Amino acid sequence: MKQNRNAPPIQKKPTFKERLSALSNLPAFFKLVWKSSPKKTFFSFFFRILRSAMPVALLYVGKLIVDEVILLNSNNGIHDATYLWKLVALEFVLAITTDGLNRIISLLDSLLGDSFSNYTSVKIMRHAATLDLEQSEDSEFYDKLERARQQTLGRTMLLSQIMGQIQDLISMAFLIGGLFTFNPWLIAILVVTILPAFLGESYFNNQNYSLTRSQTPERRELDYLRYLGASDETAKEIKIFNLADFVIGRFKKLSDQFYSDNSKLAKRRSLWGTVFSMLGSTGYYGAYVFIIMKTITGHLSVGDLTFLAGSFRQLRSLTEGILLRFTTISQGAIYLNDFLEFFEIMPSIVVSKNPVPFPNPIQQGFTFENVGFKYRHSENWANRYLNFTLHPGETLALVGENGAGKTTLVKLLSRLYEPTEGRILLDGIDLKEYDPKDLQHNIGVIFQDYLRYQMSLSNNIAVGDITQLDNEALIKKAAKGSTADALAEKLPNQYEQALGKRFNNGVELSGGEWQKVALSRIYMKESQVLILDEPTAALDARAEYEVFQRFAHMTEGKSAVLISHRFSTARLADRILVLDRGQLLEIGTHAELLALKGRYAELFALQARGYQ
């Protein structure tokens, strides 16, 4: 479990120009936001515009109240306070309105954030489902997928920040108007005192982005180690092999490194943030003294003092927030690259513009013509020079040592992979001319690394053809085909029993029982081709015999491919194909291969001696 040495420790830091360029991601972002909930998006903007006018309105009414109080106090005992109380009532209404708008905006932000997160999560899952299996097995792709997943939550905060930015910009326009009519130099003082804080935050956000991006592979490893150290699925091996200290040690090493890197950056950011804050406070109080002096000399009223001092204070706060938020928004826009780039990944397995319908029935079978396949980023061939035909109604067994390319071959047959060289024909037509979904619907496959869904038994079976989820009769028929019906009878809630221990009242099954459940999936649809990858590896001899008796009946008139290390299983096939290092070494019937006295005969004899 070594650290990925290919990942650079620190990524290139984005420049100011790159951050500005990243703002071009925002239109696409808002398009997604609008699609997630048009009504919530509209009302969020509407109420923020109303809210943006509140600060200057409150300050101005406050100025009028102060001036009116002073006027009434100096009016030689004549007191008509009607206008004053109207102003107080107006200020009260504005304050209540401000509070109400804040709560409405907060509610809309929360609801819109949830809508956006759910919408983009579904969008990510839908797009991931369209991509090639080979892409999902690539670590570089997985890093992009992981970063895209992270953005579904992080970008809801970006949404709130952008809307807050618009609201504050409108508020600033009102406040600047008031200050500018008094003295334009106050605006200049404001900018000079806040600019250092803006540049400082911009710098440290760049540092944080680079650090976070460079840690993606290691963070995935950290999540995996957390799973290894605290999971019911790994508990027995962690205990029996005494791996707890090893897993914890590796986790601690990675987490300590993250803490060290992050804490160094956080301390530097806090120190410089304090310095920049002091500069801002100095500028504010310099302007405040200037306004007080003007009031003392009679150039301003006390109401003007309260309005201008309040306006400058709020404008300083808004300007500082806008500049700092701009850095965060531009940084978030850079993170959007990770999110949007994921949707730019396109599958290499494309659907033909005019796909040929899957033949029913198959007439000539599947023909491999000089087929070779190489995994991306690999120099070695997983399969090469494959030339053979899977005939209609034929059962073909694939035999070979681990890593011989058996599973890769059946993934090519079901078009989960595209050949790197050569071609595969179905009834004389290249597989590329068929719709992959139509092709895969007509091929029933159970791989040896099948999923154990933490769902009910009926759902676990129905995933073989999820369109028949509510077809209880078909589910029970499929269970009978794999002998999982006997298992269902023993379970407390039978077919509605939750399997696995992840959720409450779940029941864990043995390896053999899980395999029967998985096998039943292949009986869920009327596939013309059946592929079983180590279908009985976890079954005892009696259960294996019963499964194959039923399977033999099921495959009558259908093509089937069996991958098995048990020669008792392989000899039941019509023909046996022997693979070695991805290449076809021998092909023929059991008797023909024994007579050939080649690799198959050698492996068969070795296994036979093991049973003596």
Side-chain angles (χ1 to χ4, degrees):
M1 204 178 294
K2 296 181 179 179
Q3 190 170 351
N4 183 1
R5 297 180 182 274
N6 295 324
I10 296 293
Q11 298 286 330
K12 179 180 177 290
K13 299 177 181 61
T15 64
F16 183 77
K17 183 178 179 181
E18 288 171 332
R19 290 208 318 277
L20 283 177
S21 177
L23 295 177
S24 62
N25 291 327
L26 295 182
F29 172 69
F30 271 108
K31 186 177 180 181
L32 288 172
V33 172
W34 180 263
K35 285 184 176 179
S36 70
S37 181
K39 287 184 179 179
K40 295 188 189 77
T41 306
F42 170 78
F43 282 110
S44 182
F45 274 108
F46 175 74
F47 286 118
R48 283 184 181 278
I49 291 171
L50 290 181
R51 173 64 180 82
S52 65
M54 291 298 108
V56 71
L58 282 165
L59 284 169
Y60 188 72
V61 172
K63 163 199 154 34
L64 295 177
I65 289 173
V66 170
D67 284 342
E68 185 66 16
V69 168
I70 292 174
L71 177 64
L72 290 173
N73 190 49
S74 62
N75 207 12
N76 299 321
I78 301 173
H79 301 287
D80 183 4
T82 304
Y83 179 59
L84 173 63
W85 296 119
K86 286 182 179 180
L87 290 174
V88 172
L90 177 58
E91 187 177 59
F92 174 74
V93 170
L94 289 173
I96 293 296
T97 303
T98 300
D99 182 66
L101 287 172
N102 285 338
R103 293 180 185 277
I104 292 172
I105 290 168
S106 178
L107 174 62
L108 285 172
D109 279 359
S110 176
L111 296 176
L112 186 57
D114 288 343
S115 297
F116 177 75
S117 177
N118 294 339
Y119 175 80
T120 52
S121 293
V122 170
K123 188 175 176 65
I124 285 173
M125 288 189 284
R126 287 195 185 281
H127 187 66
T130 67
L131 300 178
D132 303 337
L133 177 64
E134 187 189 2
Q135 289 173 311
S136 66
E137 295 171 340
D138 179 66
S139 61
E140 182 180 338
F141 166 86
Y142 204 86
D143 282 346
K144 289 184 178 180
L145 174 60
E146 186 65 20
R147 287 195 288 265
R149 280 179 186 151
Q150 292 169 358
Q151 300 314 312
T152 60
L153 296 176
R155 293 321 95 203
T156 59
M157 182 62 70
L158 176 63
L159 172 62
S160 179
Q161 289 168 337
I162 293 172
M163 290 183 169
Q165 193 82 324
I166 295 170
Q167 175 184 315
D168 288 352
L169 283 168
I170 298 172
S171 294
M172 274 188 67
F174 288 110
L175 293 169
I176 286 173
L179 283 178
F180 194 83
T181 56
F182 167 65
N183 195 320
W185 284 105
L186 289 176
I187 308 299
I189 293 172
L190 191 68
V191 173
V192 170
T193 55
I194 288 174
L195 192 60
F198 166 65
L199 296 175
E201 282 298 312
S202 175
Y203 170 78
F204 284 111
N205 275 336
N206 287 347
Q207 294 280 327
N208 186 66
Y209 172 78
S210 301
L211 182 61
T212 301
R213 188 178 176 88
S214 70
Q215 291 173 339
T216 299
E218 288 76 16
R219 286 195 181 279
R220 285 201 292 111
E221 183 181 349
L222 203 66
D223 289 340
Y224 179 64
L225 290 167
R226 189 181 288 112
Y227 160 76
L228 282 181
S231 168
D232 60 329
E233 296 179 10
T234 62
K236 59 180 180 294
E237 289 209 10
I238 295 294
K239 285 182 178 295
I240 201 69
F241 294 128
N242 197 24
L243 296 176
D245 288 342
F246 168 72
V247 173
I248 292 170
R250 178 61 181 159
F251 180 91
K252 193 172 185 305
K253 181 179 179 181
L254 280 177
S255 59
D256 286 350
Q257 184 61 50
F258 289 155
Y259 176 80
S260 175
D261 293 342
N262 293 335
S263 63
K264 287 177 183 176
L265 184 59
K267 289 174 183 176
R268 290 171 56 208
R269 188 172 196 160
S270 178
L271 174 63
W272 283 105
T274 303
V275 174
F276 296 141
S277 178
M278 290 172 63
L279 287 174
S281 296
T282 302
Y284 166 70
Y285 279 98
Y288 190 38
V289 167
F290 179 74
I291 295 169
I292 291 173
M293 293 299 295
K294 286 287 185 179
T295 305
I296 292 173
T297 58
H299 290 87
L300 296 173
S301 69
V302 176
D304 291 335
L305 169 65
T306 58
F307 175 76
L308 292 172
S311 295
F312 190 86
R313 182 176 62 252
Q314 288 205 29
L315 191 56
R316 173 192 169 234
S317 178
L318 286 172
T319 306
E320 188 175 55
I322 285 172
L323 290 175
L324 298 183
R325 199 186 290 126
F326 168 78
T327 304
T328 306
I329 289 172
S330 63
Q331 202 71 59
I334 292 177
Y335 279 108
L336 279 176
N337 287 334
D338 301 325
F339 182 73
L340 298 174
E341 280 176 5
F342 175 72
F343 295 103
E344 293 175 1
I345 302 172
M346 291 292 112
S348 58
I349 298 178
V350 295
V351 181
S352 172
K353 291 182 179 179
N354 298 298
V356 177
F358 194 91
N360 188 14
I362 296 173
Q363 299 294 328
Q364 302 172 31
F366 290 82
T367 300
F368 281 61
E369 291 186 349
N370 205 36
V371 171
F373 177 77
K374 182 190 293 185
Y375 288 95
R376 62 177 67 193
H377 310 310
S378 175
E379 296 298 323
N380 300 320
W381 290 87
N383 286 121
R384 205 168 195 197
Y385 308 128
L386 294 180
N387 290 281
F388 70 93
T389 296
L390 172 64
H391 301 291
E394 178 185 37
T395 298
L396 181 69
L398 302 183
V399 173
E401 298 176 1
N402 290 333
K406 303 184 294 297
T407 300
T408 303
L409 188 153
V410 298
K411 288 179 179 177
L412 288 165
L413 177 67
S414 52
R415 211 184 171 202
L416 292 173
Y417 292 159
E418 201 86 283
T420 307
E421 63 181 20
R423 62 178 186 163
I424 304 172
L425 307 178
L426 170 57
D427 281 2
I429 301 173
D430 197 311
L431 280 191
K432 294 179 181 179
E433 299 302 316
Y434 294 92
D435 186 331
K437 288 186 177 180
D438 188 24
L439 174 72
Q440 288 153 13
H441 180 75
N442 283 276
I443 298 177
V445 187
I446 298 297
F447 293 106
Q448 65 182 88
D449 54 350
Y450 58 86
L451 285 181
R452 303 180 179 192
Y453 295 94
Q454 305 289 301
M455 302 177 183
S456 67
L457 173 60
S458 63
N459 284 358
N460 261 280
I461 297 172
V463 296
D465 185 1
I466 203 63
T467 62
Q468 300 297 318
L469 180 63
D470 298 322
N471 191 334
E472 185 178 342
L474 180 59
I475 290 172
K476 290 183 177 180
K477 180 182 176 182
K480 186 175 182 180
S482 69
T483 72
D485 55 336
L487 167 64
E489 294 299 321
K490 296 189 299 181
L491 295 174
N493 297 312
Q494 298 190 341
Y495 286 92
E496 296 310 310
Q497 176 62 53
L499 303 184
K501 288 291 188 180
R502 180 162 297 184
F503 304 110
N504 291 338
N505 303 317
V507 173
E508 188 56 80
L509 305 182
S510 68
E513 288 171 333
W514 271 115
Q515 196 149 35
K516 290 180 181 179
V517 173
L519 279 167
S520 64
R521 296 168 190 163
I522 207 168
Y523 292 85
M524 278 296 297
K525 58 185 178 182
E526 292 297 321
S527 303
Q528 295 194 61
V529 182
L530 302 178
I531 299 174
L532 299 184
D533 186 350
E534 292 291 336
T536 58
L539 300 181
D540 56 46
R542 183 184 296 276
E544 179 188 39
Y545 174 78
E546 187 175 352
V547 165
F548 274 104
Q549 287 297 311
R550 298 189 184 195
F551 183 71
H553 176 71
M554 178 189 178
T555 55
E556 289 180 3
K558 298 182 179 182
S559 301
V561 178
L562 297 175
I563 299 177
S564 180
H565 287 94
R566 296 184 183 179
F567 286 90
S568 59
T569 301
R571 66 187 301 178
L572 297 175
D574 298 313
R575 286 192 301 161
I576 300 166
L577 188 156
V578 183
L579 286 169
D580 181 54
R581 298 179 183 178
Q583 298 186 30
L584 193 159
L585 191 63
E586 301 167 355
I587 188 169
T589 65
H590 173 70
E592 289 171 345
L593 294 180
L594 285 181
L596 192 61
K597 295 182 180 180
R599 178 64 59 82
Y600 177 82
E602 176 189 352
L603 294 174
F604 182 81
L606 284 172
Q607 193 168 107
R609 281 201 293 271
Y611 287 102
Q612 292 175 356

